[in-house]
Amino acid sequence: MLGHRISRFGSAIVKQLAREGYLSATYGTRNLQRSYGHYLPSLPMVQRQTRTSQEAFFLNNHRFYTASATSSDETEKITIIFVDKDGEEIPVKVPIGMSVLEAAHENDIDLEGACEASLACSTCHVIVMDTEYYNKLEEPTDEENDMLDLAFGLTETSRLGCQVIASPELDGVRLAIPSATRNFAVDGFVPKPH
Amino acid sequence: MVLKVTKILAFQTLSGIYSAREFVWWYNGHPDYSGLKPDLKSTDTAVILGQGNVALDVARILLRPTTELASTDIARHALSALEESSIRKVFLIGRRGPVQAALTAKELREVLGIKNVHIRIKESDMSVTPADEEEMKNSRARKRIYELLSKAAAAAGTSKSDPDQRELHFVFFRQPDRFLESNERKGYVSGVNLEKTILDSTESGKQIAVGTGEFEDLNGSLMLKAIGYKSVPINGLPFDHKKGAVPNVSGRVVSQTLENLSQTEPGLYVCGWLKRGPVGIIATNLYCAEETVGSISEDIEKGVFKSSKAGSKGLMQLLEKREVKKVDFSGWEKIDAKEQQMGNERNKPREKLVTWKDLLAAAAAN
């Protein structure tokens, strides 16, 4: 019931944002489509910023967020630090229960999620930079391991971003995004270390 | 695309031999193959040459309970044929060992988990050599596949054999020499003659199969070849026959190579298997496409070619002029809707239209 009221409120907020031109064609729509996992060529990033909770609600239809601009965000958040291929560190606030892939998309981090988190690809491959944090994670399932087998630049602490869920003990974790995902370890191809 | 040419092709005229590609098109409802009518009733044994994912796919379709297949989008004519099928044993033949098998873990796991199917693997086939260990050390995927097969082999040893049970046999270290013709039914295949192989290490560390001169026969009246694909060249298009692909640099077609310098053909690009050879998974093609499109964009920006071609408008005009039947996207949407609607009536995600006549009619409907 509360969810329904919020959802109507949320869609009203989004309509207002759209009218104000805030959800522009390149920025808003791209990220809308992104959350549905459609592949798009990367557009130059408009600006790095954490989404407002209104956008977060609209785009992430799996989770409940407050849509009101004034009420406080009650979900606890942790910090995840993404490290891109140039070594740049991007800290983001991630609500507990959100997957790393969703968190990346919410924050314009360049992490592909071609199969929409259905464990049918390895494009959301991330490397947990500290073994201590890696060990805190639950063992990957067989299905995740099957896909990790095919990932480029696989390491001992690699995981699929769609399967890693933010939890309190992961606060401060650093996740590296592999530099090249063009090739997959199939059909005898041996990936060159990067 | 044609199947890799081997001397076995000479015997393709025996009935009961199909390429896995035709078979897959048949159960997937390809309009050109809906009339294939493979005979699944005169034998209890199917032999599949190859151990890649296509081979596994065919095995899966032959062995999975039809009650489960009934709620998928498998073509109706295939489902009917499978419901009356007498096939109970499927053999997957590989010329090398379990460490070299071309299949991948997810697909293997699925086939090993089919209800009421006994997996049969010779424990002796599972022994590894130092060269095998090296291969597994370099590839996590191979190691995990080997472990999956090991577990299945160990479990196979303990399970009792039940005559009504369906069986899936993984046969390693055997390469096909020739198909055998039936004595009772002239013109029909009755088995395949296999040569035992051993592995030989090459300089690159890769192990290849070498025949030992020892042969044995495997009986079966349904033979499926799933040993790879080869692209066919088009007249006038540069082609590397060894690789079976169009020579290219990042998707730009190479017209000739002089002293290690590749000269590319302006405005001509290639993508997919024709570019890389028949390898890779869906996601591989994703990035292959990205690379080729990247090259096209770059070239447009640099003004590498001036195209005066008429584009899609010109194509439409040409098709009209030649009175070629065509289906546009809205036509496809109508087909999609019709198939889904028909599927709905049968608890399937869709019921495929499998003839050109039906497809064109659906596309043209109001």
Side-chain angles (χ1 to χ4, degrees):
Chain A
M1 288 174 301
L2 180 64
H4 177 63
R5 231 179 61 222
I6 297 293
S7 99
R8 281 190 296 132
F9 191 51
S11 61
I13 292 279
V14 169
K15 287 204 187 86
Q16 184 58 25
L17 290 170
R19 259 179 254 127
E20 287 164 353
Y22 193 69
L23 294 179
S24 72
T26 52
Y27 186 71
T29 321
R30 159 170 155 247
N31 290 301
L32 259 177
Q33 289 175 296
R34 256 238 174 122
S35 77
Y36 288 97
H38 291 167
Y39 177 74
L40 287 174
S42 2
L43 298 169
M45 291 215 255
V46 177
Q47 49 189 316
R48 268 193 217 285
Q49 66 177 48
T50 311
R51 286 295 169 67
T52 61
S53 55
Q54 290 96 322
E55 287 173 87
F57 172 79
F58 184 76
L59 292 166
N60 192 341
N61 55 7
H62 300 297
R63 308 242 179 266
F64 170 80
Y65 285 107
T66 64
S68 149
T70 52
S71 71
S72 62
D73 198 339
E74 286 163 25
T75 332
E76 235 188 283
K77 294 193 180 181
I78 61 160
T79 302
I80 292 183
I81 302 160
F82 286 101
V83 182
D84 73 12
K85 55 182 187 279
D86 303 312
E88 194 188 331
E89 296 200 353
I90 307 135
V92 302
K93 286 261 177 250
V94 182
I96 293 183
M98 183 182 275
S99 77
V100 162
L101 180 62
E102 285 176 88
H105 287 177
E106 297 259 312
N107 292 282
D108 281 324
I109 307 288
D110 211 359
L111 192 63
E112 182 70 59
C115 76
E116 302 175 27
S118 64
L119 280 177
C121 78
S122 56
T123 57
C124 67
H125 172 210
V126 291
I127 301 166
V128 183
M129 295 180 72
D130 306 296
T131 328
E132 215 185 290
Y133 278 106
Y134 178 77
N135 292 331
K136 289 185 188 172
L137 295 170
E138 267 184 55
E139 284 281 306
T141 59
D142 282 339
E143 288 71 27
E144 183 183 344
N145 271 324
D146 287 347
M147 291 301 115
L148 275 171
D149 281 352
L150 309 175
F152 177 79
L154 188 69
T155 67
E156 294 283 331
T157 57
S158 286
R159 291 298 300 263
L160 293 184
C162 65
Q163 303 300 302
V164 178
I165 310 296
S167 65
E169 59 265 13
L170 291 181
D171 190 23
V173 67
R174 290 187 310 147
L175 300 172
I177 297 168
S179 63
T181 51
R182 280 174 190 282
N183 295 297
F184 294 85
V186 288
D187 303 301
F189 173 75
V190 179
K192 290 200 256 295
H194 58 281
Chain B
M1 290 255 127
V2 295
L3 222 39
K4 264 199 207 149
V5 176
T6 62
K7 56 185 170 185
I8 296 242
L9 221 57
F11 286 82
Q12 200 179 349
T13 50
L14 286 177
S15 290
I17 302 173
Y18 302 95
S19 73
R21 174 183 54 88
E22 308 176 281
F23 198 72
V24 172
W25 285 359
W26 168 75
Y27 63 70
N28 275 330
H30 191 305
D32 288 343
Y33 287 86
S34 40
L36 189 71
K37 294 200 185 37
D39 182 3
L40 308 178
K41 289 199 277 203
S42 54
T43 183
D44 69 346
T45 301
V47 178
I48 304 174
L49 302 177
Q51 291 175 337
N53 287 337
V54 176
L56 285 191
D57 206 39
V58 171
R60 185 176 59 90
I61 293 294
L62 289 171
L63 291 171
R64 223 176 138 193
T66 47
T67 44
E68 286 181 22
L69 291 176
S71 54
T72 68
D73 62 0
I74 192 171
R76 184 149 38 141
H77 52 254
L79 183 62
S80 306
L82 289 163
E83 283 167 346
E84 297 178 15
S85 159
S86 55
I87 300 199
R88 296 291 173 271
K89 292 190 249 189
V90 174
F91 288 78
L92 288 162
I93 315 288
R95 62 186 171 174
R96 297 189 294 169
V99 177
Q100 292 79 33
L103 42 78
T104 49
K106 183 175 175 156
E107 286 73 11
L108 176 60
R109 220 181 280 282
E110 191 184 351
V111 99
L112 293 176
I114 300 176
K115 254 202 311 234
N116 294 331
V117 169
H118 271 143
I119 309 295
R120 301 254 170 260
I121 302 178
K122 286 217 298 263
E123 288 258 30
S124 53
D125 281 345
M126 297 307 298
S127 55
V128 291
T129 63
D132 287 335
E133 299 271 12
E134 191 65 30
E135 271 190 68
M136 287 198 283
K137 215 173 73 177
N138 292 330
S139 165
R140 188 185 108 139
R142 291 209 182 286
K143 181 154 165 280
R144 293 183 69 245
I145 288 167
Y146 174 80
E147 280 165 9
L148 263 176
L149 288 168
S150 285
K151 262 202 293 211
T158 56
S159 67
K160 295 190 198 69
S161 178
D162 173 355
D164 283 331
Q165 205 77 305
R166 297 184 175 201
E167 296 176 358
L168 177 61
H169 298 245
F170 284 84
V171 176
F172 298 103
F173 306 106
R174 297 287 184 276
Q175 63 190 11
D177 190 75
R178 64 189 194 284
F179 290 118
L180 306 167
E181 186 175 358
S182 164
N183 290 321
E184 294 86 36
R185 294 163 90 206
K186 285 294 170 202
Y188 285 80
V189 73
S190 66
V192 62
N193 183 245
L194 302 168
E195 182 180 14
K196 295 190 187 172
T197 65
I198 49 169
L199 297 185
D200 194 18
S201 288
T202 61
E203 284 157 12
S204 59
K206 188 172 172 214
Q207 299 190 76
I208 56 170
V210 172
T212 60
E214 255 187 87
F215 294 84
E216 65 188 24
D217 289 346
L218 179 60
N219 292 330
S221 306
L222 180 64
M223 298 279 159
L224 294 145
K225 297 176 287 183
I227 51 177
Y229 294 87
K230 191 169 170 183
S231 299
V232 279
I234 302 176
N235 221 351
L237 185 66
F239 197 78
D240 180 338
H241 289 267
K242 199 161 148 234
K243 265 185 164 172
V246 171
N248 70 92
V249 174
S250 302
R252 297 178 179 90
V253 175
V254 168
S255 45
Q256 55 180 340
T257 311
L258 300 155
E259 286 169 44
N260 279 340
L261 245 108
S262 297
Q263 209 176 315
T264 56
E265 184 94 23
L268 190 58
Y269 304 87
V270 67
C271 196
W273 279 9
L274 195 57
K275 173 182 169 193
R276 304 186 326 271
V279 292
I281 53 182
I282 291 178
T284 323
N285 289 310
L286 199 97
Y287 293 110
C288 171
E290 188 192 300
E291 185 188 57
T292 297
V293 169
S295 297
I296 297 174
S297 304
E298 247 183 65
D299 290 356
I300 291 177
E301 253 179 82
K302 285 200 214 141
V304 162
F305 60 91
K306 298 266 180 290
S307 186
S308 53
K309 296 192 179 164
S312 59
K313 228 164 113 199
L315 176 63
M316 288 301 157
Q317 286 170 357
L318 184 66
L319 292 174
E320 295 270 352
K321 198 171 96 171
R322 294 185 184 176
E323 295 181 359
V324 171
K325 292 198 200 79
K326 57 183 175 354
V327 176
D328 59 10
F329 186 61
S330 68
W332 178 87
E333 285 182 306
K334 291 194 196 127
I335 294 173
D336 185 32
K338 180 109 211 278
E339 288 187 347
Q340 287 192 51
Q341 181 215 337
M342 286 169 32
N344 226 345
E345 296 162 13
R346 292 184 187 91
N347 195 31
K348 301 170 79 166
R350 70 177 62 241
E351 183 65 67
K352 292 190 181 180
L353 295 168
V354 299
T355 64
W356 292 117
K357 182 160 158 271
D358 288 341
L359 286 163
L360 291 171
N366 282 325

